[in-house]
Amino acid sequence: MNEYDSEKMADVLLDQSDYQETKILEEADMVLLNTCSIREKAQDKVFSDLGRLRDLKVNKPDLLIGVGGCVASQEGRQIISRAPFVDLVFGPQTLHRLPALLTERARSGRPQVDISFPEIEKFDHLPPAKKDGGAAFVSIMEGCSKYCSYCVVPYTRGEEVSRPFESILEEVSSLTQQGVCEITLLGQNVNAYLGKLDGQTELADFAMLLEYIAEIPGVERLRYTTSHPREFTQRLITAHVQIPQLVNHLHLPVQHGSDKILMAMKRGYTCLEYKSLIRKIRQAKPNIPISSDFIVGFPGETDADFQELMDLVHHVQFDNSYCFIFSARPGTPAANLEDSTPRAMKVARLQALTSLIDENILRISQSMVGNTERVMIEGIAKDGQKLQGRTENNRVCNIDLPSLGQAKRLIGKMVPVVFTKALAHSLQAELVTR
Ligand code: SAH
Ligand code: SF4
């Protein structure tokens, strides 16, 4: 989501100001930090990065420094109190106002702060996306209204708001006209999508959005992240069967396997309900690889709770997943819960979980060897000799070639390969030539 937001910041500045993008920090007239506050570590990084930028500004007093994203949203004006050399503070929902904030900064000579939530205004004020690769993100909704007890997102990004249906189709179609063939739809709970249709009172749901996007010429592969187990409808399951471009992979975060912890997290489902949903999905799409997010060390998690999580991971055979240690976030209900689990025990649980998942990853990769699949070519592999692609289930895949020269034209395209070998976190493959 933040990567997408960063691209939008660049788009809006390219379109409405004289700024151009540079990757060289010392060359920049303005530096924008797009920040994350989902866990404490990410938040701490902002202030250490700001320290380094202050040193840069000492030698270049005209350098403008902006802080965007969720830390900006959470801390607001306090960022300026703590780091008075910061010129702009803006939130995830006001990044489209960057040009106006810059003008006002220049006019008034004072730091500007705007962390409001002007609903969906943002999308009406962003220029059409520009893209030169084969894959692109498209945001379909903003914010979240689920209020899981540990999570800052509803406070930093605001409540769930769906982007109008037609505006999403227009963005996708403008991207495919630029050669994009893989689209990843973004949102905190994409399956809660309910978008306005031009000139109609009824609303479009997520399954309908997928059906329409799949009809747009040039959309060869379709992904979405993140979906929530609570609104995973039969219509959406059917969409997975009927829409050929939808990848054979699903990221469906469960967070935990103990009902006690799920309840304390306010996730809104039990472990059995999650397992039944997976059974239904796999009846429709046998063996679909499913990945998840997990939080270990939530306040009150016992060895028995953790074992239930491990049992679930074994049962579902989760594929490559994101595993986190609980981080108490200011302003969230879970931050006030008594947390007596020693840090070392949390770390040990995290390691046990990731090694169990690593076993699943390797098993799934091994089962892919010999299969043919169309992969998205993202670029040249680290060794400089192979092409690097991405599989439907999000694995890096390195493709052996007789010579790289000719094959470079395949970058940004989908090409058929046959998998030849499974490694710990990647696959080897060969081009299928006709
Ligand atoms: N909307 C998505 C997740 C967005 S946040 C969903 O509900 O699935 C991405 C992940 O960060 C979450 O799934 C969760 O596993 C993790 N996370 C969120 N808040 C956290 C916290 N306070 N401590 C540790 N991990 C957290
Ligand atoms: Fe956070 Fe829960 Fe919303 Fe995901 S669903 S963004 S974890 S509050």
Side-chain angles (χ1 to χ4, degrees):
M1 188 68 86
N2 266 20
E3 259 181 59
Y4 177 82
D5 285 351
S6 296
E7 285 174 14
K8 295 290 138 185
M9 292 176 202
D11 283 350
V12 80
L13 288 170
L14 278 172
D15 191 63
Q16 293 165 36
S17 74
D18 293 332
Y19 285 97
Q20 285 177 318
E21 202 175 336
T22 174
K23 304 271 177 221
I24 306 164
L25 183 61
E26 290 70 25
E27 201 180 271
D29 301 310
M30 171 165 73
V31 180
L32 300 179
L33 294 184
N34 191 12
T35 65
C36 175
S37 64
I38 197 88
R39 283 167 294 275
E40 197 176 354
K41 215 166 148 190
Q43 175 142 4
D44 289 347
K45 209 168 163 290
V46 178
F47 288 99
S48 58
D49 284 347
L50 277 176
R52 271 190 294 278
L53 290 178
R54 180 191 47 212
D55 297 343
L56 208 63
K57 195 163 177 165
V58 169
N59 298 321
K60 194 174 179 182
D62 290 340
L63 180 72
L64 290 175
I65 297 174
V67 181
C70 287
V71 176
S73 193
Q74 188 141 33
E75 306 274 324
R77 212 158 266 287
Q78 285 179 46
I79 294 191
I80 312 262
S81 326
R82 213 168 139 180
F85 52 90
V86 168
D87 301 282
L88 304 171
V89 176
F90 55 98
Q93 311 306 3
T94 47
L95 60 90
H96 60 287
R97 294 184 180 163
L98 264 174
L101 289 169
L102 279 168
T103 310
E104 191 51 24
R105 167 73 185 85
R107 197 196 59 80
S108 66
R110 281 201 305 273
Q112 298 297 310
V113 179
D114 184 353
I115 51 164
S116 55
F117 297 141
E119 296 254 309
I120 213 74
E121 170 198 291
K122 177 165 134 191
F123 290 108
D124 297 333
H125 289 81
L126 287 171
K130 289 191 192 61
K131 196 76 201 172
D132 53 9
F137 294 126
V138 173
S139 172
I140 65 162
M141 59 197 302
E142 290 288 325
C144 181
S145 307
K146 297 279 186 291
Y147 292 95
C148 300
S149 64
Y150 50 83
C151 182
V152 289
V153 170
Y155 312 100
T156 58
R157 287 186 174 265
E159 294 230 317
E160 236 157 61
V161 188
S162 294
R163 185 175 170 186
F165 192 76
E166 272 82 6
S167 130
I168 299 171
L169 300 186
E170 275 163 27
E171 181 165 357
V172 172
S173 125
S174 109
L175 287 164
T176 55
Q177 281 164 31
Q178 297 172 64
V180 168
C181 51
E182 172 176 323
I183 300 284
T184 302
L185 303 178
L186 290 180
Q188 294 303 339
N189 300 287
V190 286
N191 48 331
Y193 177 83
L194 273 180
K196 266 215 221 64
L197 294 156
D198 264 359
Q200 285 182 47
T201 45
E202 67 191 285
L203 299 171
D205 69 357
F206 183 55
M208 176 167 167
L209 181 67
L210 289 171
E211 286 160 13
Y212 273 69
I213 292 177
E215 293 288 321
I216 296 176
V219 174
E220 291 185 50
R221 198 154 83 169
L222 198 48
R223 302 178 180 278
Y224 58 81
T225 193
T226 302
S227 53
H228 193 289
R230 241 162 73 183
E231 282 137 331
F232 214 96
T233 60
Q234 186 57 48
R235 264 176 63 68
L236 182 51
I237 297 176
T238 309
H240 272 272
V241 179
Q242 291 178 343
I243 300 177
Q245 296 103 316
L246 263 178
V247 287
N248 189 38
H249 176 253
L250 183 63
H251 185 65
L252 189 62
V254 64
Q255 311 297 355
H256 214 279
S258 142
D259 286 344
K260 182 188 95 189
I261 300 290
L262 285 171
M263 177 93 92
M265 287 178 164
K266 292 211 167 65
R267 286 293 289 183
Y269 50 81
T270 62
C271 182
L272 185 62
E273 283 166 339
Y274 184 86
K275 285 200 281 195
S276 324
L277 174 60
I278 298 295
R279 204 180 52 235
K280 260 181 21 191
I281 295 170
R282 284 194 168 143
Q283 263 164 10
K285 295 282 292 181
N287 297 324
I288 184 172
I290 294 173
S291 59
S292 174
D293 296 350
F294 298 101
I295 298 178
V296 300
F298 190 83
E301 180 190 69
T302 61
D303 279 339
D305 294 320
F306 179 67
Q307 195 49 51
E308 289 185 55
L309 168 56
M310 294 289 272
D311 292 345
L312 178 68
V313 172
H314 186 71
H315 178 90
V316 178
Q317 291 283 307
F318 280 107
D319 198 359
N320 202 1
S321 298
Y322 298 99
C323 307
F324 309 106
I325 291 179
F326 167 74
S327 168
R329 307 310 294 126
T332 62
N336 302 322
L337 296 174
E338 153 115 23
D339 182 8
S340 54
T341 314
R343 175 88 193 162
M345 185 175 275
K346 295 181 184 179
V347 172
R349 285 177 185 165
L350 182 72
Q351 280 166 351
L353 174 64
T354 49
S355 21
L356 181 60
I357 292 174
D358 280 348
E359 289 172 23
N360 292 348
I361 296 175
L362 190 60
R363 202 172 314 113
I364 296 170
S365 290
Q366 280 163 346
S367 75
M368 293 164 73
V369 172
N371 292 359
T372 299
E373 187 183 304
R374 290 175 78 216
V375 298
M376 171 81 195
I377 307 296
E378 294 184 333
I380 294 165
K382 278 198 204 96
D383 69 357
Q385 308 292 314
K386 300 188 179 89
L387 282 179
Q388 186 166 304
R390 196 159 288 268
T391 66
E392 289 195 32
N393 59 353
N394 247 326
R395 278 174 178 55
V396 166
C397 144
N398 292 310
I399 304 155
D400 289 311
L401 301 159
S403 93
L404 189 61
Q406 288 230 355
K408 278 189 188 154
R409 71 192 156 81
L410 299 175
I411 293 172
K413 305 234 156 53
M414 301 249 316
V415 298
V417 302
V418 57
F419 301 118
T420 51
K421 193 173 177 194
L423 303 173
H425 285 102
S426 66
L427 285 155
Q428 279 176 20
E430 282 168 13
L431 283 182
V432 175
T433 45
R434 276 180 292 189

